[in-house]
Amino acid sequence: MKVTVFGTGYVGLVQGTILAEVGHQVVCVDVDAEKIEKLKQGLIPIFEPGLESLVKENTASGRLRFTTDAAMAVAHGDIQFIAVGTPPNEDGSADLQYVLRVAETIAEHMPAHRILVNKSTVPVGTADRVRARVAEGLAARARAGAGAGEEGATLTFDVVSNPEFLKEGSAVADCQKPDRIIIGTENAHSVEVMRELYAPFGRQHEKIIVMDVRSAELTKYAANVMLATRISLMNELANLAERLGADIEDVRRGIGSDPRIGFNFIYPGTGYGGSCFPKDVQALVRTAEGIDFDAKVLKAVEARNAEQKTTLFAKLRDHFGGELAGKTFALWGLAFKPNTDDMREAPSRVLMEALWNAGARVQAYDPEAMEETQRLYGHRDALTLCGTKEAALKGADALVIVTEWQSFRAPDFELIKGQLTQPTIFDGRNMFEPSRMAKKGFTYYSVGRLPQAPR
């Protein structure tokens, strides 16, 4: 099948590549000419495990092409994916200008029937707005081309909601083996076309769930805010456990063993970040306000997460008696989660900026997010980006673990003690056992567990 994908970010690039991998003919289009040229050369603008080799292989095969030529892209695909950004407005609502601009572009150039597929995360009702924008564009074409053979008035189209459920760091695997494929449309022909498109991904069992457009749009938001709620609730319980003298890791195992709860997304830490959860919680709150509904739970989820990102700084401040000026801290982990270089809404940013405001210095290391950190903060005296996690330790007054990268799980503790000015670790991801750390001679702080002094 011939497919066009507007947008070459996390969603568009991964989706387009995996569709090409199973045999579809895919054209990815973007307004960023520099990015397109790099993609043609096999240079990937994001870090996503497994993606680079797939892009190169499918580009070489001719099944995957990149262009800035919107007219060519619209002419190519019977199916037109819209996978552009929907950044938050100042009030937290989703900015749909890029989505609607793509709709206008498709209306301007479509030569025959097209199925527009909203892949971007968009508020309920967006499909209606896209449909109206395309209809307006076709009507304008008809008026402008009256008597000149223009067919705008007779062209047909449909708008389908097909939300993505990709996790950064495992987006390729999620796309290759989706848990479910949501198709939102009342058009029987569109359903059949989408079933054919996704047939290679449902060989073992049926994964497609068909529903109306508005339900599909809400399903995406509902999934993300449900997961964000679990994270914030677990962090709330962790704060309670710490004050009550309980161990949140024992509590986690106790409740996670209940099959009604399970272990996913109940790990305490420093709050969620990234491009999805913060934005989607805020957007759904604003959607609720727009229909005069007070989304109390969602507001609490957002508030708890914002406060949780200050947890590590509060522990550092208390340990050092508020005297942080002139201190140096080693930070392990800058990306908002492992296996990505994404630092959008990352807890590390909140921590570093608070430390700088307090007069402290940061020596940081992350396996993938160093370039992104440099791009965000540039060169500053209070930030040193180190080539290894060991280099970040030298002369630091404490080690702070912010992201749970696999390479941080079994460090050389004797080396850490030897490099730090004092053997103190602030662990925002509960990677180590407190009693074991105390026996090794560390003062050890974690989340939801009492601090441990050396024994």
Side-chain angles (χ1 to χ4, degrees):
M1 302 179 75
K2 293 183 176 180
V3 179
T4 292
V5 180
F6 278 87
T8 56
Y10 271 103
V11 176
L13 184 56
V14 173
Q15 183 68 73
T17 301
I18 299 306
L19 287 173
E21 174 71 6
V22 299
H24 297 303
Q25 298 296 317
V26 179
V27 169
C28 291
V29 58
D30 202 292
V31 296
D32 188 333
E34 182 179 355
K35 180 192 285 189
I36 290 297
E37 284 305 312
K38 288 182 178 179
L39 285 168
K40 287 179 178 179
Q41 299 168 29
L43 301 175
I44 310 303
I46 57 175
F47 174 73
E48 189 61 44
L51 181 60
E52 182 175 353
S53 60
L54 287 173
V55 169
K56 290 180 178 179
E57 291 167 10
N58 285 280
T59 301
S61 73
R63 291 190 301 270
L64 179 64
R65 291 183 288 157
F66 299 99
T67 185
T68 57
D69 187 341
M72 182 276 282
V74 174
H76 167 80
D78 300 313
I79 303 170
Q80 304 272 318
F81 277 92
I82 302 176
V84 294
T86 54
N89 288 310
E90 290 186 5
D91 65 353
S93 61
D95 183 352
L96 297 178
Q97 64 171 309
Y98 305 112
V99 171
L100 297 176
R101 193 172 299 165
V102 172
E104 293 170 355
T105 299
I106 294 171
E108 180 183 356
H109 298 294
M110 55 187 281
H113 180 83
R114 290 292 181 263
I115 296 176
L116 285 69
V117 181
N118 275 337
K119 202 70 179 174
S120 302
T121 300
V122 293
V124 176
T126 299
D128 295 336
R129 296 183 63 180
V130 169
R131 190 183 306 277
R133 195 62 62 93
V134 174
E136 291 169 6
L138 293 178
R141 280 178 59 180
R143 290 192 300 271
E150 177 60 70
E151 298 180 346
T154 62
L155 290 173
T156 59
F157 69 95
D158 189 29
V159 180
V160 173
S161 176
N162 175 221
E164 54 84 15
F165 298 98
L166 308 180
K167 300 183 293 293
E168 290 187 38
S170 61
V172 170
D174 291 343
C175 202
Q176 290 174 323
K177 297 180 179 179
D179 297 318
R180 74 286 202 197
I181 300 169
I182 303 296
I183 297 173
T185 181
E186 291 82 32
N187 186 299
H189 171 70
S190 295
V191 171
E192 289 309 308
V193 171
M194 296 299 288
R195 285 189 183 278
E196 181 180 353
L197 177 73
Y198 283 119
F201 304 97
R203 297 298 187 189
Q204 294 182 335
H205 64 273
E206 181 60 66
K207 297 180 179 181
I208 292 176
I209 303 172
V210 180
M211 59 185 70
D212 65 89
V213 173
R214 284 178 171 253
S215 295
E217 290 172 334
L218 182 57
T219 296
K220 168 61 178 178
Y221 277 104
N224 278 355
V225 302
M226 181 71 73
L227 298 175
T229 299
R230 285 173 69 97
I231 294 170
S232 279
L233 177 57
M234 199 62 192
N235 284 330
E236 185 107 309
L237 292 172
N239 295 330
L240 275 172
E242 198 167 315
R243 288 158 175 78
L244 293 171
D247 186 326
I248 193 62
E249 291 299 319
D250 288 338
V251 175
R252 179 182 63 80
R253 288 186 286 269
I255 64 175
S257 299
D258 186 333
R260 297 172 301 175
I261 298 173
F263 287 99
N264 290 332
F265 291 86
I266 61 166
Y267 290 83
T270 57
Y272 58 76
S275 64
C276 295
F277 289 3
K279 174 173 69 73
D280 293 353
V281 171
Q282 291 175 12
L284 198 53
V285 168
R286 301 302 172 262
T287 295
E289 291 174 349
I291 56 173
D292 198 27
F293 178 75
D294 186 9
K296 293 183 174 67
V297 173
L298 298 184
K299 290 178 180 177
V301 168
E302 184 178 14
R304 166 49 57 205
N305 190 63
E307 188 170 336
Q308 197 69 19
K309 290 182 179 180
T310 68
T311 296
L312 284 176
F313 178 77
K315 292 178 184 292
L316 284 160
R317 181 192 59 214
D318 292 346
H319 174 81
F320 288 97
E323 300 296 327
L324 297 177
K327 296 285 193 297
T328 298
F329 297 102
L331 258 65
W332 283 6
L334 295 165
F336 85 94
K337 62 182 285 189
N339 298 320
T340 183
D341 60 355
D342 195 345
M343 288 185 64
R344 285 174 287 184
E345 304 286 343
S348 64
R349 298 178 64 175
V350 175
L351 174 59
M352 287 194 294
E353 289 165 17
L355 288 172
W356 293 331
N357 288 336
R361 296 186 71 259
V362 171
Q363 298 174 173
Y365 170 76
D366 186 283
E368 294 295 339
M370 304 290 271
E371 289 186 12
E372 180 64 6
T373 306
Q374 189 79 73
R375 185 188 71 81
L376 288 169
Y377 293 112
H379 297 279
R380 55 172 67 202
D381 294 338
L383 172 63
T384 301
L385 296 176
C386 303
T388 65
K389 64 181 187 291
E390 291 80 12
L393 299 168
K394 188 173 183 179
D397 294 291
L399 166 62
V400 188
I401 302 174
V402 189
T403 312
E404 67 276 29
W405 283 92
Q406 192 71 24
S407 59
F408 299 165
R409 293 187 179 278
D412 184 337
F413 289 108
E414 288 304 312
L415 183 148
I416 293 174
K417 285 176 66 177
Q419 292 294 309
L420 298 177
T421 61
Q422 50 187 293
T424 305
I425 296 177
F426 296 82
D427 182 359
R429 298 297 176 179
N430 290 1
M431 298 185 72
F432 310 119
E433 179 62 38
S435 60
R436 187 174 299 131
M437 297 304 295
K439 289 179 182 178
K440 291 180 180 293
F442 285 93
T443 298
Y444 179 73
Y445 294 87
S446 53
V447 179
R449 303 181 293 187
L450 291 175
Q452 295 288 314
R455 296 178 186 174

